[in-house]
Amino acid sequence: KSGCKNSGEVAEQLLIRMQEKYDRGEPTKPNLLTMNTVIDAHAKSSEKGKARKAQSVLRRIEAKYKEGDEQMLPNAFTYTTVLNACAFTFEKSDQEEAFQVAQSTYQEVMKSANLRPSHLTYGTYIKAINTLLPRDDERRYPLIESAFTQCCEDGQLARFVLQCLQDALPTQSYLKLLRGNRKGVVSVNAEDLPSQWRRNVKEKAMYFNQIREKKKVMKKRYRKR
């Protein structure tokens, strides 16, 4: 999982060696965790075309599963890691390709009957749109709005998603998306949003406990004044 420049290439070489040893009878068969780690290595590298390379590993996983290897069933984390490779593609000449990879990967997750996207999936996709599309690109807001709507329907509006939204949108667009057209709204707190929007977020209990604790501290400070 090194973040070095060519970490993806290094991981691919290690994967080849594992497969070669397995073919010779050694217990080094690559599994889904191995393949996910290779995708992650591409995502954390600064290689040219890393989004395409990450997607290529995903396609190999899918092919192995279709060939009968039941341990190679890709999960939401697999697809989210490909989205992460797209979200961290900063080379301008690679960004249109990375955008197409992000779109196809996200759509595969949305159309799958077996995958359950998490808040990380939604947030990382929004982050990818933010990275890959210029602010004046007419595709930008509709894609973000659609992802936000689906995220809320799935009950996955975590603080990570809110942060990605805030980074991706101008303040007024961000507030409008969260509160509709209500006038006079100058800020949005996560805990004030409908609980249904965050009902399936696994991190929510810890997060909102932290919020409550912070409020208690602030009240104590206020009383001491």
Side-chain angles (χ1 to χ4, degrees), residues 126 144 148 157 161-169 174 177:
I126 292 169
I144 292 174
F148 167 76
L157 191 64
V161 181
L162 288 173
Q163 185 60 60
C164 293
L165 281 169
Q166 199 164 18
D167 292 342
L169 295 171
Y174 170 72
L177 192 62

Side-chain angles (χ1 to χ4, degrees), residues 7-206:
S7 57
E9 294 176 5
V10 172
E12 291 277 9
Q13 291 301 314
L14 290 173
L15 181 61
I16 291 171
R17 287 167 59 186
M18 287 180 68
Q19 186 64 50
E20 289 174 344
K21 288 184 177 183
Y22 177 72
D23 292 341
R24 293 197 298 267
E26 298 184 41
T28 58
K29 179 184 177 182
N31 56 23
L32 182 61
L33 176 60
T34 310
M35 303 297 277
N36 283 349
T37 303
V38 175
I39 296 175
D40 188 53
H42 281 301
K44 292 179 177 176
S45 75
S46 55
E47 302 163 348
K48 185 171 179 59
K50 67 180 186 178
R52 170 176 42 80
K53 293 175 182 178
Q55 188 182 50
S56 175
V57 180
L58 170 61
R59 295 291 176 251
R60 281 145 57 190
I61 295 172
E62 293 171 334
K64 286 181 179 293
Y65 179 72
K66 289 178 181 178
E67 290 168 1
D69 189 344
E70 295 184 357
Q71 293 183 342
M72 282 293 187
L73 177 63
N75 53 32
F77 179 78
T78 311
Y79 289 86
T80 300
T81 309
V82 175
L83 289 174
N84 201 44
C86 302
F88 285 88
T89 296
F90 300 114
E91 182 66 41
K92 294 296 183 183
S93 60
D94 281 346
Q95 288 188 333
E96 182 58 34
E97 177 182 70
F99 171 71
Q100 296 301 328
V101 171
Q103 284 299 96
S104 61
T105 302
Y106 179 72
Q107 290 303 321
E108 285 175 41
V109 176
M110 293 300 105
K111 293 176 181 178
S112 173
N114 302 315
L115 295 171
R116 294 179 61 85
S118 70
H119 64 282
L120 295 174
T121 308
Y122 289 111
T124 305
Y125 173 68
I126 292 169
K127 184 185 286 287
I129 297 301
N130 185 32
T131 299
L132 302 172
L133 294 183
R135 291 271 172 174
D136 60 352
D137 193 303
E138 61 182 11
R139 298 170 293 178
R140 185 183 175 96
Y141 186 82
L143 290 173
I144 292 174
E145 182 180 32
S146 175
F148 167 76
T149 301
Q150 187 61 53
C151 178
C152 292
E153 288 180 4
D154 285 350
Q156 292 289 350
L157 191 64
R159 54 177 175 165
F160 173 66
V161 181
L162 288 173
Q163 185 60 60
C164 293
L165 281 169
Q166 199 164 18
D167 292 342
L169 295 171
T171 301
Q172 290 306 312
S173 296
Y174 170 72
L175 294 175
K176 180 180 178 181
L177 192 62
L178 292 178
R179 288 291 181 94
N181 294 314
R182 288 164 58 183
K183 296 181 179 180
V185 176
V186 295
S187 65
V188 175
N189 295 317
E191 63 178 344
D192 295 330
L193 297 174
S195 59
Q196 281 293 101
W197 290 4
R198 45 187 166 81
R199 67 189 183 278
N200 293 321
V201 178
K202 292 183 179 179
E203 61 152 37
K204 66 181 179 182
M206 179 180 69

